[in-house]
Amino acid sequence: MALNNINKKSIAVLPFQNMSNSLDNEYFCDGLTEEIINALARIKALSVTSRTSSFYFKNKKVTAEEIREKLKVATFIEGSVRTSKNKMRITVQMIDTLDDYHFWSETFDRNPQDVFEIEDEISLFIAEKLREHIGHLEIEDKLVEPIDVPVDIYKEYLKGRYYIMKLDIANSLKGIDILKGITEKAPNFLNPYLDINLSYIYMGTLGLLPAYEAFQKAQPFFDKAIELNPNSSRVQLNLSWVESWQNWDLKKAYEHANRALEIQPADDIYLTISNYLTVEGKLDSAQNYIDKALQLDPFSAMNHHYKGFLLYLQEKYNEAIPYLQKALELNPDLPFPPLYIGECFLLTGKHQEAINYYDDLKGVPITDLTQLGGLAMCYAKINDLEKCNEKVVELETYLQSNHIDKAFNFLILVNVLLNNYDKALDLIEQAFENHLPLILLLNTEPIIKPIKNNKRFKSIMLKAIPDNVNYKQKKKYKQTLLNRDEIEKYTKELEQIMIDYKLYLNPDLSLKDLASYLELPTNYVSQLLNQGFDKNFSEYINTYRINEFKERILLEENKDLTIMAVAYDSGFNSKTVFNTFFKKIEGITPNSFVKSNTSS
């Protein structure tokens, strides 16, 4: 990967190595790593690799080049912890991946009882040394807030979290038991409630426990977390999920997700917003958010799955498969990718390959219904009615079970493939009446295409998703494009979008991408730029890039960078285009501008 493409203000914190024989020290090492990741993530201008990708390298020997290539960061932290009864020695090293050298190391000898002070002290040390090395960062006086619980209870909490983060059912249940014990000893300690809720939700989502049972068990712990701190980033993210998947209120879901993002940017929040954009049918915008999630956590199985899922929805089946397969490589127990891998084969005409794939499926529980539903779709597609009906009858037995959502989903898809459109619509209406989340995902499902323009289907979709771009907005477009009032309205909207999202920093930005943010057809946006701004697309975007360059080139932190390095950071990907546009807009060369503004 080209070094120019790596954000200089990016960092990964690798898991601290346990240098003691004690397993308790292992819990502390993981906890310390997580706290430092969370602390650094509070620094707004810093891009911090998420936990999943950092922990992918636990107990692995790595080089600076590997970290640069795999995590795409300019700096990484590694360290170790050795404890005895009265003493803790923590060593920390900071490595520049671009030039491959250790530019800072420190040893901290501290009392193990001062755990919260240690976490904050080390996080601040790292932030300060990073600022000295890469340039200005706004750093708060404290990055780790002390928790009002005894150290012994906090260490027990780290033990519980250690087990639930293994993500299999046996360890998750073991961790939940430990965390439940902590809620009895320290009823006002927020973290255990959030982690128990997270663990149950995860097991329900992945099919490790029946979803209804898992969500029901999670709810009391989430309610207590809301009571303790409604402004926590994790609480806001969970509230967002509730508003979306339980209440079907996407406006409130966005509000909570954006609040969580403001408190502490994280890949799962970007993934969540991508999910909501998908529900609304804004697939191009959804791709932008999942790409950001993958940038922060390139070793997240869920992020790779969702990238593949989006490509599947856009009918880019051959592009989708590698992402879905990568997700399974990272987490073989993830239940979602196999369904879409099989469907990609099926929808590209590889019918026998799809049948063989579902037939040979291993590791996915029978109750997940992927194998059963996948084969039913295959037989429907090749019109093998006898085998298809056999599978349909079996699927129908699950309509009275905890797996009703998945059963309905497969029965709807199978009936569409069989051209039984009225039956499919009847099932969709029943699913809507039962308030099943699958309704929100039907909006963009390729197999549903034959009935998407059906009045019954449109009616259900608009009741479930009132702002559905596939059915509501397309109806209002006129042959005459935009009138004067609409141009004025969308001009303001576009200016705000450019301020909020800084789309121009993406060197590959296209007119189509811009249109996806405004939720307008590309022709309308082309007209808007011409009549509202008196510019074409290139002139409009490059004007923002020139202004960004003018600000960046004068910053102290960029004084050692070349003019073109700053131009690339500002969104340009061509020296010729940059120089041409700069001279056209400013009337002087970039060199002349820099000299006239930096001479003393």
Side-chain angles (χ1 to χ4, degrees):
M1 178 178 184
L3 299 187
N4 286 341
N5 293 334
I6 293 180
N7 178 6
K8 192 176 179 184
K9 294 184 177 179
S10 57
I11 190 168
V13 183
L14 301 193
F16 278 56
Q17 187 178 356
N18 177 15
M19 301 297 287
S20 306
N21 293 325
S22 166
L23 190 56
D24 284 344
N25 197 48
E26 185 82 8
Y27 311 144
F28 177 75
C29 288
D30 284 3
L32 176 64
T33 305
E34 283 195 68
E35 281 299 340
I36 293 173
I37 290 171
N38 292 334
L40 295 178
R42 294 176 62 174
I43 301 172
K44 297 295 183 186
L46 190 62
S47 178
V48 184
T49 298
S50 294
R51 181 195 190 279
T52 311
S53 289
S54 289
F55 274 74
Y56 177 83
F57 295 95
K58 185 171 179 175
N59 299 324
K60 295 178 182 176
K61 294 280 187 183
V62 293
T63 64
E65 183 181 7
E66 285 178 281
I67 296 299
R68 184 183 70 236
E69 292 297 322
K70 292 181 178 178
L71 296 183
K72 299 176 176 58
V73 292
T75 311
F76 74 97
I77 300 292
E78 61 182 11
S80 64
V81 181
R82 187 187 301 275
T83 55
S84 60
K85 187 173 182 181
N86 300 313
K87 184 178 178 182
M88 174 182 292
R89 169 164 287 191
I90 301 172
T91 62
V92 184
Q93 298 181 92
M94 195 176 294
I95 297 98
D96 185 311
T97 71
L98 304 179
D99 295 320
D100 193 5
Y101 74 102
H102 293 60
F103 64 87
W104 174 72
S105 64
E106 189 75 38
T107 299
F108 301 84
D109 288 322
R110 299 292 184 268
N111 186 327
Q113 294 302 305
D114 299 332
V115 58
F116 304 122
E117 291 86 348
I118 292 168
E119 290 172 345
D120 188 49
E121 180 186 5
I122 293 176
S123 297
L124 283 169
F125 252 100
I126 289 170
E128 288 291 353
K129 292 302 174 184
L130 192 61
R131 177 160 62 183
E132 291 173 11
H133 184 65
I134 66 171
H136 179 65
L137 295 168
E138 289 290 334
I139 302 172
E140 299 172 20
D141 292 337
K142 288 190 78 64
L143 291 177
V144 177
E145 294 297 331
I147 298 170
D148 188 20
V149 296
V151 170
D152 288 346
I153 288 181
Y154 179 69
K155 287 182 175 178
E156 187 72 4
Y157 160 72
L158 292 179
K159 179 179 179 181
R161 183 162 174 81
Y162 173 85
Y163 285 111
I164 69 163
M165 292 311 293
K166 289 184 176 293
L167 303 180
D168 62 273
I169 189 164
N171 280 303
S172 295
L173 294 175
K174 183 176 181 178
I176 286 172
D177 282 343
I178 294 170
L179 295 172
K180 282 180 178 177
I182 293 170
T183 63
E184 295 170 6
K185 297 173 189 173
N188 294 323
F189 184 13
L190 173 68
N191 294 16
Y193 296 102
L194 285 173
D195 285 326
I196 293 170
N197 173 68
L198 172 71
S199 192
Y200 275 129
I201 294 293
Y202 186 87
M203 287 190 288
T205 303
L206 293 191
L208 300 175
L209 285 178
Y212 178 76
E213 175 192 333
F215 298 159
Q216 204 172 37
K217 287 182 174 179
Q219 193 61 46
F221 297 97
F222 182 49
D223 290 341
K224 182 64 178 178
I226 297 173
E227 179 189 321
L228 289 171
N229 185 359
N231 294 318
S232 156
S233 174
R234 297 294 96 188
V235 168
Q236 287 297 317
L237 185 57
N238 276 270
L239 283 170
S240 177
W241 293 337
V242 169
E243 291 295 352
S244 172
W245 296 106
Q246 293 181 29
N247 300 339
W248 293 5
D249 189 332
L250 285 178
K251 182 180 179 182
K252 287 184 179 177
Y254 278 120
E255 287 173 3
H256 287 298
N258 284 319
R259 207 168 299 154
L261 201 59
E262 287 172 15
I263 297 167
Q264 184 171 331
D267 72 289
D268 54 348
I269 305 175
Y270 287 105
L271 169 63
T272 296
I273 296 174
S274 179
N275 190 238
Y276 301 157
L277 290 164
T278 303
V279 167
E280 290 189 282
K282 303 169 186 175
L283 299 184
D284 289 333
S285 296
Q287 286 283 13
N288 291 329
Y289 276 88
I290 195 59
D291 286 344
K292 180 64 176 176
L294 271 167
Q295 178 188 333
L296 289 174
D297 205 343
F299 284 86
S300 163
M302 196 63 204
N303 288 347
H304 280 276
H305 160 72
Y306 206 79
K307 176 73 174 180
F309 174 61
L310 277 174
L311 291 167
Y312 163 81
L313 295 180
Q314 293 173 308
E315 300 180 53
K316 299 175 181 177
Y317 304 120
N318 291 327
E319 293 178 45
I321 288 175
Y323 283 99
L324 298 166
Q325 290 173 332
K326 179 66 175 178
L328 287 178
E329 179 188 322
L330 291 168
N331 182 1
D333 296 324
L334 197 64
F336 315 115
L339 169 61
Y340 297 103
I341 292 173
E343 285 189 334
C344 285
F345 291 143
L346 187 64
L347 298 178
T348 50
K350 300 171 183 174
H351 302 152
Q352 192 56 52
E353 196 167 341
I355 291 171
N356 294 341
Y357 180 80
Y358 286 126
D359 256 335
D360 295 338
L361 209 53
K362 293 179 177 64
V364 178
I366 291 294
T367 51
D368 179 77
L369 305 188
T370 296
Q371 186 175 59
L372 176 61
L375 288 171
M377 288 191 296
C378 290
Y379 294 134
K381 186 73 172 174
I382 63 174
N383 208 32
D384 188 334
L385 298 183
E386 184 179 345
K387 288 183 178 178
C388 181
N389 288 334
E390 181 184 314
K391 301 297 181 187
V392 165
V393 169
E394 191 174 348
L395 279 170
E396 288 172 342
T397 65
Y398 287 96
L399 291 176
Q400 307 303 320
S401 73
N402 289 332
H403 308 287
I404 180 175
D405 196 291
K406 290 174 182 173
F408 259 112
N409 186 56
F410 282 119
L411 288 169
I412 290 165
L413 298 180
V414 168
N415 276 285
V416 172
L417 289 168
L418 290 171
N419 300 326
N420 295 336
Y421 299 149
D422 287 338
K423 174 66 175 174
L425 290 163
D426 289 342
L427 288 165
I428 292 169
E429 286 183 342
Q430 290 175 50
F432 177 80
E433 288 163 7
N434 280 279
H435 203 75
L436 299 180
L438 75 92
I439 289 292
L440 301 186
L441 295 175
L442 288 177
N443 184 32
T444 47
E445 168 59 58
I447 292 175
I448 294 293
K449 282 173 74 175
I451 60 170
K452 280 190 176 179
N453 290 320
N454 183 284
K455 286 183 180 179
R456 286 172 68 192
F457 186 75
K458 287 183 181 182
S459 173
I460 295 167
M461 287 296 106
L462 283 171
K463 281 188 282 186
I465 315 165
D467 294 326
N468 191 314
V469 298
N470 287 326
Y471 305 119
K472 190 174 182 180
Q473 293 187 344
K474 284 186 180 177
K475 288 176 109 179
K476 74 181 181 185
Y477 297 148
K478 310 174 293 300
Q479 291 299 315
T480 54
L481 299 183
L482 301 171
N483 61 37
R484 185 175 300 173
D485 290 341
E486 288 170 328
I487 286 174
E488 184 178 345
K489 172 195 170 191
Y490 285 117
T491 296
K492 292 176 182 176
E493 277 191 29
L494 181 55
E495 287 178 331
Q496 192 60 49
I497 285 170
M498 297 302 283
I499 292 168
D500 290 344
Y501 295 99
K502 293 195 173 185
L503 303 180
Y504 50 88
L505 294 181
N506 174 7
D508 299 317
L509 186 72
S510 67
L511 184 61
K512 184 179 177 185
D513 294 330
L514 208 60
S516 76
Y517 275 85
L518 276 171
E519 299 161 27
L520 288 171
T522 308
N523 284 341
Y524 281 53
V525 179
S526 180
Q527 179 204 6
L528 175 67
L529 294 176
N530 276 264
Q531 295 182 15
F533 298 95
D534 195 26
K535 290 181 172 71
N536 62 33
F537 172 76
S538 294
E539 291 168 337
Y540 179 73
I541 297 301
N542 285 327
T543 299
Y544 276 97
R545 289 170 176 159
I546 293 297
N547 290 334
E548 183 77 13
F549 168 84
K550 286 162 61 182
E551 287 183 18
R552 289 183 181 231
I553 197 67
L554 301 180
L555 294 176
E556 181 67 20
E557 64 193 74
N558 291 331
K559 68 178 183 179
D560 295 326
L561 296 180
T562 65
I563 284 177
M564 278 316 301
V566 177
Y568 289 136
D569 286 344
S570 304
F572 285 98
N573 60 7
S574 162
K575 183 176 181 178
T576 304
V577 170
F578 167 64
N579 286 326
T580 302
F581 264 98
F582 196 95
K583 183 78 183 291
K584 179 180 178 182
I585 293 172
E586 298 296 324
I588 57 174
T589 65
N591 230 2
S592 300
F593 173 84
V594 173
K595 285 180 180 177
S596 64
N597 283 276
T598 55
S599 56
S600 51

